[in-house]
Amino acid sequence: MTWLEELAEVARDLREEWALTPDGEPTNGRTALVHPVRTADGRPTVLKVVRPHWEAEHEALALQTWGGRGVVRLLRADPRRFAILLERLHTEDLSGLWDVQACEIVGGFYRRLHVPAPPQLRTLSDQAARWERELGEKERRLPVPPRMVEQARSIARDFAKDGATDGRLIHTDLHFENVLRGDREEWLVIDPKPLSGDPHYEVAPMLWNRFDEYAGRIRDGVRMRFFALVDTAELDEDRARAWAVLRLVVNVKGELEDNPTPDKDWITAMISVAKAVQD
Ligand SMILES: Nc1ncnc2c1ncn2[C@@H]1O[C@H](COP(=O)(O)OP(=O)(O)O)[C@@H](O)[C@H]1O
Ligand SMILES: [Mg+2]
């Protein structure tokens, strides 16, 4: 059975147990199966079942902590089966907006999202400590300028022992496609991969997504987005920049580890955003 077939089976069981009726075609991303369904009382919802992996283990906990404030509302969860039932939102996301305007919208969410983290979450300082170690391993030589790898490693080292690295609930994957049009609020955030962390960590996915739109004017484009996010959220510029550089280098590492034929263009994109954000 493929992973998708397995998820479809879990979804079928849950539809029965939770008395849900199919109400549209399911969609699937890289790890999730999302099925529009209706509850017994006719409410439009979606059933999301994901492939078990650690990043998804606390999606329900994060959604529950936010209680629908700026975020999709959680109606029901089965953490053991990595399944959640969510209020249904519209299909429109922030991809169609001017990127800088989208950054202002996302920057406006940060303050509401970054509440004290529930104690069950993994910490960003642990992650930083692991990255520091991994970036130093010689056998993992990256197709990245050595000075940038060394810089990323030193950033990871500093953040791993910085008291402000942990403590806030952060989404960690807040980009254009993870904000959908809602009715309760104009836009609502979905799809958290939560950690106990530092709000400044949140910025980077808004810089590396929609990369093609920089169209050769990377420096200006990255700076416009970066300052729209940092200014709207009143973040510390240097701290946000440091996390972004670290995350961009770590993305290259991830691409080499996860993809048997690493995407060279994507790697080049990561490096150019890391350069642009420091220019
Ligand atoms: N509450 C929701 N209402 C409507 N559509 C949703 C909802 N949650 C997710 N989706 C749709 O399913 C897609 C995948 O869900 P998402 O939670 O972003 O998982 P992933 O990106 O990890 O695959 C979204 O991009 C969106 O199109
Ligand atoms: Mg998503």
Side-chain angles (χ1 to χ4, degrees), residues 7-269:
L7 294 190
E9 203 166 275
V10 175
R12 202 160 42 238
D13 291 347
L14 284 166
R15 282 205 308 273
E16 214 168 277
E17 290 169 36
W18 292 353
L20 306 167
T21 13
D23 187 29
E25 286 304 307
T27 55
N28 67 274
R30 246 168 8 102
T31 57
L33 177 69
V34 177
H35 201 162
V37 291
R38 281 184 189 263
T39 54
D41 59 2
R43 180 171 185 178
T45 55
V46 303
L47 177 63
K48 176 178 176 182
V49 188
V50 306
R51 269 174 106 166
H53 62 295
W54 74 264
E55 282 183 317
E57 81 192 345
H58 288 308
E59 180 167 4
L61 175 66
L63 294 174
Q64 193 182 32
T65 305
W66 286 315
R69 288 176 289 274
V71 178
V72 69
R73 201 166 259 151
L74 176 73
L75 305 172
R76 199 161 177 177
D78 183 338
R80 210 172 40 81
R81 283 185 278 186
F82 286 78
I84 51 181
L85 185 69
L86 304 167
E87 71 176 315
R88 196 183 311 163
L89 306 176
H90 299 282
T91 49
E92 185 188 357
D93 62 28
L94 293 183
S95 305
L97 265 60
W98 179 39
D99 62 345
V100 177
Q101 191 193 354
C103 286
E104 286 168 1
I105 292 170
V106 167
F109 278 122
Y110 290 164
R111 200 181 294 274
R112 301 173 72 196
L113 298 182
H114 298 148
V115 297
Q120 298 92 322
L121 295 182
R122 294 179 190 232
T123 63
L124 185 55
S125 63
D126 276 359
Q127 188 162 289
R130 181 163 49 80
W131 287 344
E132 195 231 321
R133 253 190 340 269
E134 292 174 357
L135 289 171
E137 291 167 2
K138 285 212 175 48
E139 60 275 21
R140 286 195 212 237
R141 206 153 269 154
L142 302 180
V144 173
R147 252 188 330 145
M148 194 180 276
V149 178
E150 210 24 69
Q151 183 193 11
R153 198 173 159 210
S154 132
I155 291 169
R157 186 182 310 126
D158 290 345
F159 279 137
K161 48 179 199 248
D162 179 337
T165 295
D166 300 334
R168 294 274 144 183
L169 175 53
I170 56 171
H171 180 294
T172 84
D173 195 24
L174 187 40
H175 59 74
F176 304 92
E177 290 175 14
N178 281 339
V179 180
L180 300 184
R181 174 77 76 183
D183 292 320
R184 292 186 292 114
E185 296 190 30
E186 193 176 2
W187 298 103
L188 289 162
V189 172
I190 62 166
D191 198 15
K193 303 189 169 44
L195 283 179
S196 169
D198 171 358
H200 297 82
Y201 184 81
E202 205 80 284
V203 171
M206 291 298 286
L207 307 180
W208 77 61
N209 282 287
R210 287 173 71 175
F211 176 83
D212 290 346
E213 290 175 42
Y214 292 134
R217 303 184 61 230
I218 296 176
R219 182 177 175 277
D220 290 347
V222 168
R223 286 170 61 89
M224 295 238 286
R225 289 193 201 174
F226 181 77
F227 285 109
L229 289 154
V230 163
D231 292 347
T232 309
E234 297 180 41
L235 294 177
D236 178 88
E237 189 183 318
D238 292 333
R239 216 175 157 88
R241 195 176 280 123
W243 276 122
V245 170
L246 174 57
R247 291 190 74 174
L248 288 153
V249 172
V250 165
N251 275 359
V252 176
K253 186 171 80 64
E255 177 68 10
L256 296 181
E257 286 162 3
D258 301 344
N259 195 341
T261 50
D263 182 343
K264 286 210 184 82
D265 291 343
W266 199 74
I267 289 174
T268 307

